[in-house]
């Protein structure tokens, strides 16, 4: 059951050309030269001065505040949309009920 099954290739139909046999004059030896390996540039250590650390912290805080404001505004937009859809549904239900009573 778990043995791989290799399909048997049926005999080819149509015209079959025999494979070309290479001769010794067709083959030329090729010498491969290795490509030069590029050297990685040396990296210097990043030095944080108190001023740059303060600027980095202020930048991170600003990013957190901006992302938070965007997320809160998106949540508020969803809440307002949901509330307006609920009000529209109530008004439509009342209108349909009034139309049915009038018949």
């Amino acid at each position: 059951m778990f043995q791989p099954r290799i399909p048997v290739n049926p005999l080819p139909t149509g015209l079959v050309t025999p494979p070309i046999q290479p001769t010794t004059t067709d083959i030329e030896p090729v010498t491969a030269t290795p490509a030069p390996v590029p050297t990685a540039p040396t990296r210097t250590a990043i030095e944080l001065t108190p001023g740059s650390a303060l600027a980095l912290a202020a930048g991170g805080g600003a990013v957190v505040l901006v992302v938070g404001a965007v997320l809160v505004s998106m949540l508020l937009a969803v809440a307002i949309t949901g509330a307006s859809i609920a009000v529209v549904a109530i008004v439509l239900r009342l209108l349909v009920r009034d139309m049915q009573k009038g018949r």
Side-chain angles (χ1 to χ4, degrees), residues 8-84:
V8 178
N9 191 11
L11 292 175
T13 59
L15 297 174
V16 178
T17 58
I20 299 173
Q21 298 293 330
T23 60
T24 56
T25 58
D26 293 341
I27 302 173
E28 296 179 6
V30 177
T31 57
T33 57
V37 178
T39 58
T42 58
R43 295 186 181 190
T44 59
I46 297 174
E47 296 179 11
L48 287 178
T49 61
S52 64
L54 183 62
L56 187 64
V63 167
V64 167
L65 289 177
V66 168
V67 170
V70 168
L71 291 178
V72 167
S73 65
M74 289 173 63
L75 180 64
L76 185 61
V78 169
I80 290 172
T81 304
S84 64

